[in-house]
Amino acid sequence: MRLTCPLCGPRDRREYSCLGAEDYLNRPGAGAAPEAWDAYLHLRDNPAGRARDLWYHEGGCREWLLVTRSTVTHEVFAVELVAGRSGAAE
Amino acid sequence: MAELIAKPVFAGQGPLEKAGLTLEPLPSGPIWLVALYPGAAARAAKLLKPLGLSFPEPGRCSSADDLRLIWAGRDQAFLLGAAPPEGLTDTAALTDQSGGWAGLSLSGPGVEAALTRLVPLDLRLREFPPGRAARSLLNQIPALILREDETRFAIRVPRSMARSAWADCALALERLEARAER
Ligand SMILES: [Zn+2]
């Protein structure tokens, strides 16, 4: 498996580590209800098909990446930087 | 501040020659991480210009004599060979990492054949010409890899893993030589 880092180019899977679902980008506000925190921490879809996951380019540029890929065919549709997305910390 | 006694990383380690290639320690020198502040690229460019350097694009290295400015990440680069110029503190966060790295030089005709055994990148000349650089892995060691010229790579690894990196490179040369002897 290879992911094309927007900065580094196509790189071997060994250079990356996977954190998990995109949900980690959507942290509830400080005053959010316990249900929102429960969902944020524990509730995940388990899609057969398109999934959006956070990957860390640990063996390369150290950027967090948002990877859209198919869990069925392993096709990778998009790899985007998390930095610079709206709402991302500078 | 107390001046501590610096111990060389590869104390007493001479060059290793095998398979027509040479593995040798690189002399240690200043290494600074230059992390640009948001919107400071133009000002940094002005300060780097008198040194003959420009802030590198991803995967590139800007060189002037013994100075190297190697891309290290988004708006980040490693400056090798000198302390950052006066005034750069206003445009970038600067970290002296000189003691944190160890360098190896691997050189000789067909040097890619050895490095390809360790690094998951296409290092052939046409894909990775002189001036190209990459942060990648040397076996499992995070490494900063720079092609200095057609037959020479400079590899920098965290100092704590220097001897493992040396051993990995030495083993690659040994196996390459064994293959050539058959
Ligand atoms: Zn990368």
Side-chain angles (χ1 to χ4, degrees), chain B residues 5-58:
Chain B
I5 299 162
K7 285 175 119 181
V9 186
F10 299 104
Q13 178 73 67
L16 176 73
E17 289 182 25
K18 275 203 164 98
L21 304 175
T22 306
L23 175 68
E24 55 196 324
L26 283 172
S28 54
I31 298 184
W32 288 72
L33 180 69
V34 178
L36 293 179
Y37 293 136
R43 273 183 291 144
K46 245 181 232 151
L47 293 162
L48 291 168
K49 203 170 174 196
L51 303 175
L53 298 175
S54 58
F55 204 86
E57 294 291 311

Side-chain angles (χ1 to χ4, degrees), chain A residues 7 11 15 59-60 62-63 83, chain B residues 58 74 120-121 134-137:
Chain A
L7 295 174
R11 293 292 182 95
E15 294 192 2
R62 275 74 172 169
E63 285 297 318
Chain B
R74 193 168 45 91
L121 295 176
R135 287 187 94 170
S136 185
L137 300 173

Side-chain angles (χ1 to χ4, degrees), chain A residues 20-57:
Chain A
E22 181 190 16
D23 302 48
Y24 287 114
L25 289 180
N26 306 316
R27 189 183 169 88
E35 291 76 15
W37 281 104
D38 181 54
Y40 169 72
L41 289 171
H42 304 300
L43 298 185
R44 294 290 175 269
D45 294 330
N46 187 18
R50 236 169 230 260
R52 279 158 73 80
D53 292 325
L54 291 175
W55 291 71
Y56 184 53
H57 196 182

Side-chain angles (χ1 to χ4, degrees), chain B:
Chain B
M1 201 165 68
E3 272 298 317
L4 303 178
I5 299 162
K7 285 175 119 181
V9 186
F10 299 104
Q13 178 73 67
L16 176 73
E17 289 182 25
K18 275 203 164 98
L21 304 175
T22 306
L23 175 68
E24 55 196 324
L26 283 172
S28 54
I31 298 184
W32 288 72
L33 180 69
V34 178
L36 293 179
Y37 293 136
R43 273 183 291 144
K46 245 181 232 151
L47 293 162
L48 291 168
K49 203 170 174 196
L51 303 175
L53 298 175
S54 58
F55 204 86
E57 294 291 311
R60 308 280 156 177
C61 171
S62 169
S63 301
D65 300 320
D66 290 341
L67 297 181
R68 300 282 179 277
L69 191 60
I70 306 174
W71 187 82
R74 193 168 45 91
D75 293 333
Q76 293 180 36
F78 287 114
L79 177 63
L80 276 60
E86 202 73 28
L88 204 64
T89 41
D90 296 332
T91 63
L94 305 171
T95 325
D96 183 358
Q97 299 192 358
S98 307
W101 292 86
L104 300 170
S105 161
L106 191 56
S107 61
V111 60
E112 301 85 354
L115 218 44
T116 292
R117 292 170 169 248
L118 303 168
V119 178
L121 295 176
D122 188 347
L123 296 172
R124 288 174 299 172
L125 196 57
R126 69 158 195 266
E127 287 297 320
F128 207 90
R132 278 296 306 268
R135 287 187 94 170
S136 185
L137 300 173
L138 183 88
N139 258 359
Q140 296 172 34
I141 303 170
L144 182 65
I145 297 158
L146 170 67
R147 188 194 270 273
E148 288 278 5
D149 58 44
E150 297 203 351
T151 58
R152 194 158 72 84
F153 285 88
I155 304 154
R156 288 178 176 84
V157 297
R159 183 180 167 129
S160 59
M161 298 180 218
R163 286 170 64 181
S164 300
W166 179 278
D168 287 345
C169 290
L171 188 62
L173 294 192
E174 203 171 294
R175 295 211 167 133
L176 208 58
E177 184 160 89
R179 181 169 267 257
E181 277 167 5
R182 286 181 52 169

